[in-house]
Amino acid sequence: MKRLDNIALLFFIFFFISIAAQETEYAYLLQNIDARQKTSLNGKWDIIVDPLENGFYNHRLQEYDKGYFKNAKVQSPSDLIEYNFDTSLQLNVPGDWNTQMDKLYYYEGTLWYKKDFAYTPTSNQESFLYFEAVNYEAIVYLNGEKLGKHVGGYTPFQFNVTDKLVEGNNFVVVKVDNKRKKENVPTVNQDWWNYGGITRSVHLINVPKSHIEDYSVQLEKETTTKISGWVTMANANNGDPVSIEIPELKKTVKATVTNGKASFSINAKPKLWSPNSPKLYEVIIETSTDKVVNQIGFRNISTDGSKILVNGKETFLKGISIHEEAAFKTGRVVSAEECKVLLNWAKELGCNFLRLAHYPHSEAMVKEAEKMGFLIWSEIPVYWTIQFENEDTYANAENQLTEMISRDKNRAAVVLWSMANETPESEPRLSFIGNLAKKARQLDDTRLITAALDTQGKGDDGNLIEDPLGEVVDVIGINNYCGWYYGDVDSCSSIKWASAYNKPMIMSEIGGGALYGLHGDANERWTEEYQDALFKSNIEMMKNIDFMSGLSPWILMDFRSSRRPLRRIQDDFNRKGLISEQGMKKKAFFTLQEYYLEMDKK
Ligand code: GCB
């Protein structure tokens, strides 16, 4: 009897897993959508705020087929329909809802978006509905029919809608839900604003029926003279030719498709991409039916003991951490121009490196940063104490990792994939992050794996890095708040560090809060003087760490966080920025700038 119970239970589990798998679509992503013919679905979308999820569940709390996604219209005066997108309020896409409407400032829940668009079918074409990011869970419907669901707020996803579009008017409805849940990635507590909505652009992309889906074009690991990669094709035949051309290098190779994939390698001596010379080459991938053009850089990243080598040359990463929040207006960044404001400040600071915290930033941010020569640390929101023992949580994290790598694998600027931030030591956490690292290496063996740790022991020499996760990563990130969360500011300069690992270490966070314009003694919290003294003392400490190979202090600009309520000081902002959200530079900005300038002179 007991055995039968177990079998029944297994069946049930299997059943639920297959339902969950059907529900969430994790398709491949079209590579480099900038090169594609597309119609923008940005602009005003009609919205309905739905805290009780009335548009999804009936009064018995069952998912029902008359939800708001039907976009129903009154046909005769006696009809009862209790919603109407056409007379509803509107929000801009891309954009978070919190900063667009006062009453949505703290809102966490379901909000429905609807957009009408016209479509003219073309023969031999396929069409994709492509979302650059929606925070957090998106259920997407086209013309009243469900396309699928996506979970995770910072990575792109797409649906093939070729057979679902109609000639003339179409409508897309998205149920967006940003309720925080324990099992999510990130989990319920995070030190940044949980901006909800269709936060990045939406496109309708048209490609030939037989089209290039995805490709990888990079220098092979540990070489600077061999570019290799692959191209995957949809609806292609075995034997179809694919050409990969780099005109400036006078190189063209022909490959052939086998089971949807063509692999190639090219012997070439490209001028290497580096922070001082962020050279990009035009790469043209062409088949008999399709053609895409991309700007791709070639560089090598490796480690040697505690050193980080870019193109074989020891490089110290002079960095800063950034949240993807726009200056002046605040709220989510929505354009390349807004990205450039942040990036220009990082340049002015003297950086050659950015930690894009704590989630994958937009493709625009990564591409703009690449053009400016920044090395990039890109991370997924495995943040603090997520559910390391929950398999669904793992699947979610792995999917976000896969989408991040899928989108940015051709970006020479990205040198570090970060698996996690400040996770507490435990066996389940070690295997969770260990599995993520394994997955990342399978997907991309050319880049380095890192994670930001905050657990240290006390060794004879001072702080001892011995977190077992150090074994898993190639580069160790350390978040350390001497002078803020522990220790007097003056004590920081004399702290010694040691590491159980012969690996590079990046001080991935140091910092303290200051309100721009607030002045006082160096021991008075929240003053610019306090923050400045803290930076000076921490810089002295870091000068003594011989295995340190970079830093990315916390943080470029003040950013919104619901953990920061202190009135007249924080007002919902984490004040550890070197620049205020209104673009005003605090004293510590110039201290860090001087440190980076001095380094350049050596
Ligand atoms: C940290 C976190 C970061 C926070 C920061 C802070 O260690 O990694 O997300 O914002 O500290 O300001 O406390």
Side-chain angles (χ1 to χ4, degrees), residues 190-192 323 355 357-358 379 383-384 421-422 452 454 479-481 484-485 508-509 511-513 554-555 559 561 563-564 574-576:
Q190 58 183 56
D191 189 19
W192 70 93
H323 260 297
R355 176 180 180 206
H358 277 302
E379 80 189 58
Y383 183 89
W384 291 350
N421 180 73
E422 293 186 354
D454 72 343
N479 293 355
N480 188 261
Y481 281 91
W484 192 257
Y485 292 128
S508 38
E509 291 179 27
W554 197 251
I555 184 171
F559 60 98
S561 168
R563 290 173 63 87
R564 309 295 172 178
N574 182 316
R575 293 286 176 207
K576 296 190 189 70

Side-chain angles (χ1 to χ4, degrees), residues 114-152:
K114 193 239 6 174
K115 178 94 175 162
D116 296 306
F117 61 97
Y119 174 73
T120 316
T122 326
S123 61
N124 252 337
Q125 291 259 309
E126 291 212 327
S127 302
F128 291 85
L129 201 49
Y130 189 102
F131 293 82
E132 292 195 25
V134 175
N135 191 38
Y136 177 82
E137 180 190 285
I139 305 182
V140 183
Y141 305 83
L142 182 65
N143 298 327
E145 196 191 315
K146 182 170 171 178
L147 296 174
K149 169 167 135 180
H150 180 265
V151 173

Side-chain angles (χ1 to χ4, degrees), residues 314-452:
E314 182 179 356
T315 306
F316 189 85
L317 308 191
K318 296 171 289 172
I320 191 72
S321 297
I322 299 188
H323 260 297
E324 199 172 43
E325 217 170 89
F328 312 115
K329 70 162 205 208
T330 73
R332 281 271 166 250
V333 152
V334 296
S335 67
E337 280 58 46
E338 286 177 350
C339 296
K340 279 193 250 177
V341 171
L342 301 174
L343 297 172
N344 283 329
W345 282 333
K347 260 275 133 108
E348 195 183 332
L349 193 57
C351 297
N352 61 8
F353 168 59
L354 302 172
R355 176 180 180 206
L356 300 183
H358 277 302
Y359 39 77
H361 286 210
S362 65
E363 198 165 358
M365 180 73 93
V366 175
K367 284 187 171 175
E368 291 303 328
E370 179 170 75
K371 285 192 240 164
M372 292 170 72
F374 290 109
L375 297 158
I376 292 176
W377 157 319
S378 183
E379 80 189 58
I380 49 169
V382 172
Y383 183 89
W384 291 350
T385 309
I386 63 160
Q387 292 189 340
F388 292 107
E389 286 173 270
N390 183 333
E391 283 175 22
D392 293 340
T393 303
Y394 179 79
N396 180 349
E398 192 186 276
N399 183 58
Q400 295 191 48
L401 176 76
T402 305
E403 288 170 341
M404 170 176 80
I405 296 179
S406 173
R407 193 194 70 182
D408 289 345
K409 61 181 169 293
N410 292 316
R411 301 280 73 82
V414 179
V415 289
L416 289 157
W417 298 126
S418 175
M419 303 296 107
N421 180 73
E422 293 186 354
T423 49
E425 275 184 41
S426 76
E427 265 310 311
R429 167 265 206 170
L430 189 60
S431 87
F432 188 106
I433 298 175
N435 286 335
L436 286 177
K438 204 162 129 199
K439 179 74 184 179
R441 289 187 174 109
Q442 268 166 19
L443 293 169
D444 172 19
D445 70 351
T446 68
R447 291 179 176 80
L448 305 173
I449 303 296
T450 191

Side-chain angles (χ1 to χ4, degrees), residues 3-17:
R3 219 183 128 237
L4 265 185
D5 277 357
N6 284 344
I7 290 173
L9 185 70
L10 274 178
F11 257 111
F12 253 113
I13 292 174
F14 181 72
F15 178 72
F16 278 113
I17 289 176

